[in-house]
Amino acid sequence: MRSTARLWMVVLLSLSLALAFSAAVFAQDEDMAALEIKTADEAFAAADKGNPDPAWAGKKFTIAALASGPRGSISGPYYFWRPYFEKLTGATYEVAEIPFGEFQAKILTDLATGQGMYDAITGPMFFMGDYVANDWIIPIDQYFEDPRMPKWDRESIAEPIRQLLYFGDHWYAFNNDHDGMVIYYRRDLFTDPQWQAAFQEEYGYEFPLPPRTWQELLDVAKFFNGKDWNGDGKADYGITMHLKVGEQGFFNYLALAASFVVNPAPGDDPTKVTRYNNVFWFDPETMEPLINSPGHVKALELMTELVDAGPRAMLGWGLAECWDVFLRGDAAMCFTFGDVGTLSQDPRQSAIRGKQGVVAIPGSREVYDLETQQWKTMDPPNRVANESGASWSPVISKYSKNPDLVAYLCSLLATPEINHWNVAWGWTGVDPGTTYDFLPPYGKASIDDYVQTGYDAEDVTEFLNAYLEMWFDYPLSIPYLRIPGTADYIESLDIHLSEALSGQVSAQEAMDRTARDWDRITNRLGKDAQLQLYREAIGYTGE
């Protein structure tokens, strides 16, 4: 009887503690929900709202977005801000959610057939070449001075991202998301003197805090891989990436390869695009693929070594699996998009809040010179910003029956106050990329904007500073591919990258296969037309 009574006491105590914890979590969630609405109301009140046209009342349209649900990345803000839009206009809209793997087929088919199921598309910016070449979307310059439209700040956007939103002489996309890849690392681990000393003994140089070149990063990943540095009795990993074919692993390669391939121009302007400088994809004189050139091959060889410094399973991982390993504390580094900077702050899925470091994408001391066909050594390292990612931004279909109304919504969400709210409340999937997202003295945001939403102050400062440095301080930026067939070129690269990373073929063979595919795609679409659009897209004049 005594043991039974003791057991019931333990059960009741455990139940009481569980209920108390649940009540505390529920109260905290209620508080955060109230704060979310309060800050959203403040952002809405401060945002410019233009002068909505009374004729819009009662109208309805459809906007396509990434399938993530009402509280998920990219689609979430459209659900959240819909009541505010309805209050202003008397109109409404539906959100058509499309999975990443189906986006190309559904969107491009809708536009090519003229069905017009989607009035607006918040899609990846690598569709821009197809959009513009086929006259599928409308320019939005006409709305900039339209008194009906809310005003948004185009000059505040980081240059590598801003370039994605226009083509030639026209703007086509509204400011929204700002994707780029950085390196997340365990700040507590990297600053531990014990591990720093062990690294120096093993590699013969001082621990790089943080890694600033790809070779340093590779050494650090190898050093931590296979050691039980978190004390859970299991071997941990040096790095984690998302490399599943058909997902977004090719973005990892593009961000990594940039500093091996993008060669600064000589003279006063290192960003000038010439036949041999600041190019990445094709020779702008011949449309010959550069993807199998020595710079690309060496980058893929290094990436293959990085795979060996982490879980082999990541060859089949999408974003969620990759992020989870880092967030639960089993990987020293994570090479990915801005989302981890937000997810790491959620105690329900992260064990590393207050321990996260972030560094802008590393550089390379070696870059291949296409003109001399020789490697050259650079000091400081060649650092190249990347806008690697979809940078999900809305465009207006030429088949829309209500383009002005669509432009009103997109302009409203692009206003600094609302766009910054989406960044600060990171569940939206909208990553920082404007001056009003970053901290003083360069930026206009307050640390309180982020801390009040649940960020650790040191974590978010490192996160913001990494993006600020990459987009505003790095001298070069990788050119983004924006020509017809971009999705096809990328699909080929994605497949052959996986062949090399999994050890099926050498890096050179993988890139040779990619180059042959790219030639076929170019010839199918028309080499002369592709060359002309490619030159326009990268700003090549032949001078």
Side-chain angles (χ1 to χ4, degrees), residues 59-63 110-111 114-121 135-138 143 395-408 410:
K59 292 187 175 181
K60 187 175 183 178
F61 63 89
T62 299
I63 186 163
D110 179 69
L111 293 169
Q115 294 180 55
M117 292 177 59
Y118 314 113
D119 295 87
I121 302 123
D135 190 30
W136 284 337
I137 61 175
I138 65 171
Y143 296 117
V395 298
I396 304 174
S397 168
K398 80 170 187 179
Y399 302 108
S400 172
K401 296 180 178 62
N402 297 290
D404 296 354
L405 179 58
V406 174
Y408 184 88
C410 298

Side-chain angles (χ1 to χ4, degrees), residues 7 66 98 295 330 360 396 400 470 511:
L7 176 61
L66 181 68
I98 304 175
D330 291 336
I396 304 174
S400 172
M470 182 175 74
M511 292 318 205

Side-chain angles (χ1 to χ4, degrees), residues 140-153:
I140 63 172
D141 315 69
Q142 61 185 306
Y143 296 117
F144 293 161
E145 303 304 324
D146 189 326
R148 298 172 299 172
M149 301 296 160
K151 297 296 184 288
W152 48 286
D153 184 1

Side-chain angles (χ1 to χ4, degrees), residues 328-399:
R328 71 177 185 238
D330 291 336
M333 291 182 287
C334 184
F335 174 18
T336 190
F337 306 109
D339 307 71
V340 165
T342 297
L343 296 172
S344 63
Q345 306 304 297
D346 185 346
R348 292 168 297 185
Q349 55 188 320
S350 170
I352 63 168
R353 185 177 183 275
K355 303 175 182 178
Q356 176 181 267
V358 192
V359 63
I361 205 78
S364 172
R365 294 194 184 277
E366 293 182 292
V367 59
Y368 189 73
D369 190 323
L370 289 166
E371 185 172 17
T372 65
Q373 298 186 14
Q374 299 289 326
W375 286 94
K376 69 180 186 182
T377 301
M378 296 186 63
D379 188 18
N382 190 37
R383 293 189 176 125
V384 182
N386 75 87
E387 62 285 7
S388 198
S391 289
W392 304 88
S393 300
V395 298
I396 304 174
S397 168
K398 80 170 187 179
Y399 302 108

Side-chain angles (χ1 to χ4, degrees), residues 189-418:
L189 190 65
F190 281 30
T191 56
D192 187 326
Q194 176 183 347
W195 291 115
Q196 290 178 346
F199 177 90
Q200 183 162 4
E201 181 177 354
E202 185 171 339
Y203 283 87
Y205 66 95
E206 188 175 340
F207 188 95
L209 183 62
R212 286 293 187 172
T213 70
W214 285 108
Q215 188 58 56
E216 289 175 348
L217 183 136
L218 177 60
D219 288 347
V220 171
K222 287 180 176 179
F223 172 73
F224 282 116
N225 192 55
K227 295 181 174 70
D228 179 19
W229 40 260
N230 65 7
D232 64 356
K234 298 181 295 182
D236 300 308
Y237 304 113
I239 194 166
T240 182
M241 298 178 281
H242 37 81
L243 301 175
K244 182 179 180 180
V245 174
E247 294 288 336
Q248 301 185 58
F250 59 89
F251 285 129
N252 290 81
Y253 169 76
L254 300 178
L256 187 158
S259 59
F260 292 88
V261 177
V262 179
N263 190 19
D268 296 334
D269 182 9
T271 67
K272 183 178 179 180
V273 179
T274 76
R275 182 177 185 181
Y276 305 111
N277 304 100
N278 295 294
V279 292
F280 184 88
W281 304 90
F282 300 94
D283 182 328
E285 284 292 328
T286 66
M287 205 58 189
E288 177 185 355
L290 300 176
I291 197 69
N292 58 342
S293 62
H296 279 287
V297 173
K298 188 162 190 171
L300 181 52
E301 288 171 345
L302 188 142
M303 190 170 176
T304 302
E305 290 190 75
L306 273 181
V307 169
D308 292 333
R312 294 291 298 179
M314 65 182 165
L315 293 168
W317 282 351
L319 298 175
E321 297 95 333
C322 160
W323 295 343
D324 179 63
V325 173
F326 180 69
L327 294 173
R328 71 177 185 238
D330 291 336
M333 291 182 287
C334 184
F335 174 18
T336 190
F337 306 109
D339 307 71
V340 165
T342 297
L343 296 172
S344 63
Q345 306 304 297
D346 185 346
R348 292 168 297 185
Q349 55 188 320
S350 170
I352 63 168
R353 185 177 183 275
K355 303 175 182 178
Q356 176 181 267
V358 192
V359 63
I361 205 78
S364 172
R365 294 194 184 277
E366 293 182 292
V367 59
Y368 189 73
D369 190 323
L370 289 166
E371 185 172 17
T372 65
Q373 298 186 14
Q374 299 289 326
W375 286 94
K376 69 180 186 182
T377 301
M378 296 186 63
D379 188 18
N382 190 37
R383 293 189 176 125
V384 182
N386 75 87
E387 62 285 7
S388 198
S391 289
W392 304 88
S393 300
V395 298
I396 304 174
S397 168
K398 80 170 187 179
Y399 302 108
S400 172
K401 296 180 178 62
N402 297 290
D404 296 354
L405 179 58
V406 174
Y408 184 88
L409 169 69
C410 298
S411 298
L412 180 68
L413 297 191
T415 57
E417 293 81 5
I418 292 179

